[in-house]
Amino acid sequence: SSSMADVVIPIEVAKSFCEGKTDHTVGGDNIRDLVKELCKLYPGIDVRLNQGLAVAIDGEIFQDWLLEEVGPSSQVNFIPAIEGG
């Protein structure tokens, strides 16, 4: 049985794909799973989430996040990636 994570996506992405809904609860063992589930609800959102967004999992930020694992009740925030200097 997979975990359910609270996923928060940026408002501009939410406006384009989710009628403005930023908070979602989706199941998965890693971020790729979560994105796959979101994509079933909002086709094409996976492409958008892969464009210049970082992910914070329980407050820890990952730039390369596809296979990062999520816990049973992780808080996952998609955030604009900090530009590398």
Side-chain angles (χ1 to χ4, degrees), residues 16-81:
S16 301
F17 290 93
C18 320
E19 297 174 351
K21 179 170 148 63
T22 56
D23 293 63
H24 304 268
T25 303
V26 285
D29 297 320
N30 56 43
I31 301 293
R32 185 171 64 181
D33 290 348
L34 300 182
V35 170
K36 206 178 289 183
E37 288 302 307
L38 280 172
C39 205
K40 288 179 190 170
L41 300 168
Y42 310 109
I45 198 171
D46 55 333
V47 175
R48 181 62 189 84
L49 293 175
N50 275 305
Q51 291 171 350
L53 291 180
V55 169
I57 304 170
D58 298 323
E60 188 178 350
I61 295 176
F62 299 91
Q63 300 284 349
D64 188 15
W65 42 261
L66 202 57
L67 297 176
E68 289 298 332
E69 292 184 2
V70 290
S73 54
S74 285
Q75 178 76 37
V76 176
N77 288 74
F78 281 89
I79 51 178

